[in-house]
Amino acid sequence: MVSLFPLAQIKLGLRPISSSSGFPRLPLRFCTARGSTCSSQTSAMAATDTKIPQPPMAKKVKHEMEMFGDVRVDNYYWLRDDSRSNPEIISHLQQENAYTDFIMSGTKHLEDQIYTELRSRIKEADISAPVRKGPYYYYERTLESKEYVQHCRRLVQNGETVPSVHDTMATGPEAPPEHVILDENVKALEHGYYSIGAFKVSPNHKLVAYAEDTKGDEIYTIHVMDAETCTPVGEPLVSVTSYIEWAGDEALMYITMDAILRPDKVWFHKLGTNQSSDSCLYDEKDDMFSLDLEASESKKYLFVGSESKTTRSIFYFDISNPENNLKVLTPRTEGIDTSVSHRGNHFFIKRRSDEAFNSELLACPLDNVNATTVVIPHRETVKIQDVRTFSDHLVVYERENGLPKVRFYTLPPLGQPLQSLQGGRSVDFVDPVYSVEPAESQFSSSILRFDYSSLRTPPSTYDYDMNTGVSVLKKVETVLGGFDSSNYVTKREWAVAEDGTHVPISIVYRKDVVKLDGSDPMLLYGYGSYEICVDPSFKASRLSLLDRGFTFAIAHIRGGGEMGRKWYEDGKYLQKKKTFTDFIECAEYLIKKKYCTKEKLCINGRSAGGLLIGAVLNMRPDLFKAAVAGVPFVDVVTTMLDPTIPLTTAEWEEWGDPRKEEYYFYMKSYSPVDNVKAQSYPAILVTAGLNDPRVLYSEPAKFVAKLREMKTDENVLLFKCEMGAGHFSKSGRFEKLQEDAFTYTFILKILNMV
């Protein structure tokens, strides 16, 4: 269906992204010919006496679907094949790809030029900020011209010293040698697609368990290996999610999925035994709920969450007493969402309810989980996003006025009563709009690690000493080619929606190029679903647009979580259209403020953001020059009526259940496939992944087929389906740059900026 995040992370939403909690990925492929319309492209290519092929036209096979006396006709229903092996369908997708390649062939030189630009900004041989765990530093290394990372470690010199923000990993001939635990480049040689969804080191640092996906379908295989010799340990665990955690040094806990890829069972695996003999600790039979798994920061407990879109309960597992199995920590209560951390003799529970809609923080003793105390009360204007515990501190990631905040508190010594936490101190940030995400930190230290970025500030890893307030930059992503952040302006604007709501917009442009007189091109990005926060973060490839005079903007529309829980609730269910009208209002505001004109405005969204793009194209096609819909969720009603499609049942609490008449007609009124009409559309690029388990490839395929049938203009419409990838497209880092180059070439050609 739609998730932006791994299927194992359904908690964060989707069909979600970044994401992570971070930034949902930009739509990856753009393409078109020389001018802004097919006619201009045709004349340009005719000059070379090249025969112009006709766009592929899918055959029409009438398929009627009746609900509540309403009959929908889907002439392209036949394009869905869950086996992904029907020769006629594969041939149609290949024809679409061939047509796209042909139309784009005239600007291959520009695409190659942009790809060279993108790659030239990367420091290809580099390492991540090392993370100290026990006696080792762990980090990832990238190599010159290699697509994937190496997972490495080194012994810590003077390992008995207390960790400090000033610690650095020793390198050079006198330092402990680097040990490569796993080289993804070697593993990827056997596969067209390769992605590791989890990489977990055992508590004694002797073993590693990792989950790999070799198709892009997000069905993983778990391998265990000796960390020193790199030899396999036991047989792989197959057909699992990427949720794995060590339960001591000799056992794993992991989660599997049902037939519709819903994480539904949690298992206990003893090393050296067959998967068939593993113990099932819990089976979630309610198909509205999915399971997730995480370890406490203290590494003493494992937490299993069972969640729907509105409700989440927690089981806990004491690693030191595995015979006790899972125990209920927070029971399931409709409308109550909980997540848990541990420190000392307390659990800390982040709890959201109808009354405490932005969440409150509770604490309870380990031996009496029902005896809760409110340590941070609910606040109507501040949302508690995440909580991290340390041996002596508690860190709260918050949101206020649309911006992320980091606040930390000193906890009382172990054994002393835990009362309401007062005061606290905040970490200060310099940019007007930015992104900050928690990074892996050492529980037993006072050092908080976080990742910071803005639209003009490359990803930066900081260590912050919560005792002294000293902050040290440990790593900043190198951007080659003379990049200077001072050349760029980032700011926040506020559009006013039709109901008077102020909608934030994050903006970046190059100050010595952009004129702000309406003549500049703009790329406007939107998402607006699953309470996902699309915080403004840096992307080096985006510089190829900014340096050509583009303004880039993010519309933080309702349905997302940027402005708190109510912001999300105001853009879901029977208020989903506010997501689309907010985006349109943002576009019109930017035009009014002379950031661009209709003739220079391009729009972009992926997954549920692709639904946004499809919806606004049907509503206001006159407002945009070009649109990119990446793996778009566009066949809303048909998909949500089919519980055999992955994620559908869990998504009824996001979009609504169209088996109910009120939801059926409301969802039909905005579903992009159901609302394509005989009108002029701007230039459009649509992408898909054949193995995508979140948004079936057939949704964008049908959307394109219906557009080809109905639209009255001659503007280019291109469809690119990756035949060996899933929701997140190709897996290699340079392959992704190639896709960005393809995308930007499409935009530049549509705007006649070749």
Side-chain angles (χ1 to χ4, degrees):
M1 202 120 168
V2 158
S3 266
L4 173 68
F5 298 93
L7 284 172
Q9 295 177 332
I10 294 179
K11 175 186 178 185
L12 291 180
L14 288 168
R15 290 175 200 274
I17 243 276
S18 24
S19 169
S20 128
S21 311
F23 195 104
R25 299 183 193 182
L26 295 175
L28 293 177
R29 286 208 181 254
F30 288 48
C31 44
T32 190
R34 178 165 300 277
S36 60
T37 65
C38 285
S39 57
S40 62
Q41 293 157 1
T42 300
S43 61
M45 291 188 181
T48 64
D49 295 325
T50 303
K51 183 178 180 181
I52 307 303
Q54 292 299 310
M57 300 295 291
K59 71 178 183 181
K60 296 169 67 173
V61 179
K62 189 175 184 179
H63 179 82
E64 292 187 349
M65 298 168 286
E66 183 174 354
M67 199 81 173
F68 305 113
D70 178 63
V71 177
R72 292 183 302 129
V73 177
D74 184 351
N75 292 318
Y76 305 107
Y77 189 87
W78 68 273
L79 283 169
R80 176 183 167 188
D81 170 32
D82 291 353
S83 73
R84 296 163 172 82
S85 61
N86 182 298
E88 185 176 12
I89 295 174
I90 296 298
S91 175
H92 175 74
L93 298 176
Q94 290 172 338
Q95 290 175 46
E96 287 281 10
N97 285 343
Y99 176 73
T100 294
D101 290 343
F102 180 86
I103 295 298
M104 288 300 293
S105 62
T107 48
K108 189 64 169 66
H109 66 287
L110 176 61
E111 182 184 337
D112 291 343
Q113 175 189 332
I114 294 176
Y115 174 74
T116 300
E117 289 176 19
L118 305 190
R119 189 157 175 175
S120 68
R121 295 192 188 101
I122 293 177
K123 184 181 179 182
E124 294 192 13
D126 204 357
I127 67 168
S128 63
V131 177
R132 183 172 171 178
K133 300 180 188 178
Y136 293 97
Y137 283 112
Y138 289 86
Y139 54 97
E140 294 179 355
R141 179 179 292 281
T142 54
L143 304 175
E144 192 84 21
S145 77
K146 298 294 185 181
E147 292 275 9
Y148 301 94
V149 302
Q150 294 178 326
H151 298 263
C152 307
R153 74 180 182 188
R154 287 180 191 261
L155 279 169
V156 177
Q157 283 187 326
N158 303 318
E160 300 301 317
T161 60
V162 176
S164 162
V165 292
H166 301 292
D167 289 345
T168 57
M169 183 180 70
T171 58
E174 303 301 319
E178 176 177 275
H179 173 59
V180 178
I181 304 171
L182 179 69
D183 189 340
E184 291 186 21
N185 297 289
V186 175
K187 300 287 290 183
L189 290 174
E190 305 170 15
H191 309 283
Y193 180 98
Y194 191 79
S195 176
I196 287 185
F199 185 87
K200 305 284 185 175
V201 181
S202 64
N204 63 8
H205 300 273
K206 293 182 178 180
L207 302 174
V208 167
Y210 64 95
E212 68 175 12
D213 171 11
T214 58
K215 292 183 178 179
D217 58 6
E218 299 173 64
I219 299 174
Y220 291 85
T221 298
I222 295 174
H223 300 269
V224 180
M225 62 187 293
D226 184 293
E228 277 300 315
T229 66
C230 304
T231 55
V233 175
E235 295 298 316
L237 307 177
V238 299
S239 299
V240 302
T241 69
S242 60
Y243 282 128
I244 55 171
E245 294 290 350
W246 285 97
D249 292 319
E250 299 179 349
L252 291 169
M253 193 177 290
Y254 65 95
I255 290 176
T256 57
M257 296 178 286
D258 63 11
I260 59 169
L261 306 184
R262 176 181 65 95
D264 69 327
K265 294 184 180 70
V266 57
W267 300 84
F268 187 83
H269 172 74
K270 294 182 180 178
L271 297 187
T273 65
N274 292 325
Q275 186 176 1
S276 59
S277 63
D278 291 350
S279 302
C280 182
L281 302 184
Y282 182 68
D283 181 359
E284 179 53 78
K285 297 185 181 299
D286 188 334
D287 62 9
M288 295 285 285
F289 285 79
S290 300
L291 302 180
D292 58 66
L293 170 67
E294 64 180 346
S296 67
E297 293 93 332
S298 65
K299 306 304 180 186
K300 294 181 181 294
Y301 293 91
L302 300 180
F303 299 125
V304 174
S306 177
E307 66 173 356
S308 70
K309 289 292 183 293
T310 61
T311 303
R312 187 168 191 260
S313 57
I314 302 293
F315 300 90
Y316 70 100
F317 181 88
D318 186 344
I319 294 175
S320 65
N321 292 292
E323 64 278 1
N324 290 341
N325 293 327
L326 292 177
K327 290 186 175 182
V328 175
L329 203 165
T330 57
R332 181 178 297 174
T333 304
E334 177 64 31
I336 304 295
D337 182 298
T338 56
S339 57
V340 180
S341 298
H342 164 257
R343 178 260 189 180
N345 55 353
H346 285 89
F347 290 124
F348 291 83
I349 303 169
K350 182 172 77 75
R351 181 182 185 272
R352 194 200 71 234
S353 63
D354 289 343
E355 297 77 23
F357 51 83
N358 275 333
S359 296
E360 58 188 346
L361 187 64
L362 315 176
C364 67
L366 302 184
D367 56 3
N368 187 2
V369 297
N370 295 317
T372 58
T373 300
V374 176
V375 293
I376 300 179
H378 172 256
R379 293 155 293 173
E380 291 197 1
T381 59
V382 180
K383 175 185 175 182
I384 298 177
Q385 187 88 15
D386 196 6
V387 174
R388 299 294 171 97
T389 54
F390 292 74
S391 56
D392 297 316
H393 296 86
L394 182 138
V395 179
V396 182
Y397 289 82
E398 302 175 337
R399 301 197 68 83
E400 185 174 14
N401 199 32
L403 294 175
K405 309 283 187 180
V406 180
R407 195 166 187 83
F408 60 94
Y409 301 82
T410 300
L411 295 173
L414 292 177
Q416 291 192 10
L418 187 61
Q419 304 296 333
S420 176
L421 298 176
Q422 301 294 332
R425 288 170 287 169
S426 296
V427 181
D428 296 324
F429 304 106
V430 296
D431 290 296
V433 290
Y434 55 87
S435 171
V436 60
E437 298 287 345
E440 186 172 1
S441 305
Q442 296 181 76
F443 173 80
S444 60
S445 76
S446 64
I447 301 170
L448 166 66
R449 174 167 287 191
F450 58 84
D451 294 324
Y452 175 84
S453 172
S454 79
L455 291 171
R456 67 178 179 187
T457 306
S460 307
T461 299
Y462 285 89
D463 279 353
Y464 184 94
D465 191 319
M466 293 179 283
N467 287 332
T468 66
V470 173
S471 178
V472 176
L473 177 63
K474 308 302 288 188
K475 173 73 178 178
V476 61
E477 179 183 295
T478 301
V479 182
L480 303 176
F483 169 75
D484 182 350
S485 63
S486 66
N487 289 331
Y488 303 88
V489 173
T490 181
K491 62 170 67 173
R492 172 153 289 187
E493 297 269 13
W494 298 83
V496 180
E498 55 188 11
D499 62 359
T501 300
H502 286 70
V503 182
I505 309 170
S506 297
I507 295 171
V508 64
Y509 56 86
R510 181 160 177 152
K511 62 185 179 182
D512 59 343
V513 177
V514 168
K515 296 178 286 296
L516 298 178
D517 61 359
S519 66
D520 306 303
M522 168 172 275
L523 178 60
L524 176 62
Y525 176 87
Y527 189 73
S529 291
Y530 299 101
E531 204 175 356
I532 299 300
C533 301
V534 185
D535 286 322
S537 59
F538 187 83
K539 185 175 182 180
S541 62
R542 193 183 296 137
L543 296 174
S544 285
L545 292 182
L546 298 180
D547 290 351
R548 285 176 167 84
F550 275 76
T551 297
F552 175 76
I554 305 166
H556 302 285
I557 50 186
R558 280 175 284 186
E562 291 91 338
M563 298 288 287
R565 178 71 181 183
K566 293 296 187 183
W567 196 251
Y568 163 60
E569 293 176 344
D570 283 349
K572 66 177 293 193
Y573 284 148
L574 299 174
Q575 300 191 81
K576 188 61 200 172
K577 289 183 184 177
K578 290 182 181 178
T579 301
F580 316 136
T581 55
D582 280 0
F583 189 83
I584 290 170
E585 294 287 353
C586 287
E588 292 183 326
Y589 174 85
L590 292 167
I591 292 171
K592 180 181 177 181
K593 298 291 284 188
K594 296 190 180 300
Y595 283 101
C596 63
T597 61
K598 293 180 182 181
E599 291 73 27
K600 295 291 185 74
L601 178 55
C602 305
I603 59 174
N604 174 334
R606 287 190 99 249
S607 192
L611 161 64
L612 164 71
I613 299 303
V616 300
L617 283 174
N618 285 329
M619 295 167 68
R620 286 294 307 276
D622 62 298
L623 194 55
F624 315 109
K625 183 66 173 179
V628 179
V631 291
F633 172 43
V634 284
D635 198 11
V636 180
V637 178
T638 300
T639 294
M640 295 304 296
L641 280 170
D642 189 345
T644 69
I645 294 177
L647 300 178
T648 287
T649 55
E651 298 290 306
W652 286 329
E653 289 185 346
E654 176 71 25
W655 313 101
D657 184 351
R659 298 174 302 176
K660 300 174 182 177
E661 185 172 0
E662 183 180 23
Y663 284 102
Y664 171 85
F665 284 105
Y666 185 81
M667 295 162 74
K668 182 188 174 186
S669 72
Y670 69 75
S671 172
V673 164
D674 292 293
N675 287 278
V676 173
K677 57 181 71 75
Q679 62 181 353
S680 292
Y681 286 86
I684 302 171
L685 168 69
V686 180
T687 70
L690 183 63
N691 296 327
D692 192 338
R694 300 166 186 260
V695 179
L696 298 183
Y697 74 90
S698 52
E699 292 199 37
K702 288 198 289 184
F703 184 52
V704 169
K706 194 167 183 180
L707 280 168
R708 292 207 194 284
E709 173 194 355
M710 300 290 293
K711 73 191 191 81
T712 59
D713 59 85
E714 293 185 347
N715 294 325
V716 68
L717 169 61
L718 298 179
F719 181 41
K720 186 72 170 177
C721 183
E722 292 295 346
M723 306 301 284
H727 195 67
F728 301 108
S729 200
K730 293 182 177 180
S731 54
R733 58 174 177 153
F734 301 131
E735 291 175 319
K736 294 183 184 302
L737 292 183
Q738 190 68 63
E739 293 171 337
D740 282 346
F742 197 69
T743 294
Y744 297 162
T745 301
F746 170 79
I747 291 177
L748 292 168
K749 286 181 67 66
I750 294 300
L751 295 176
N752 264 330
M753 293 178 64
V754 176

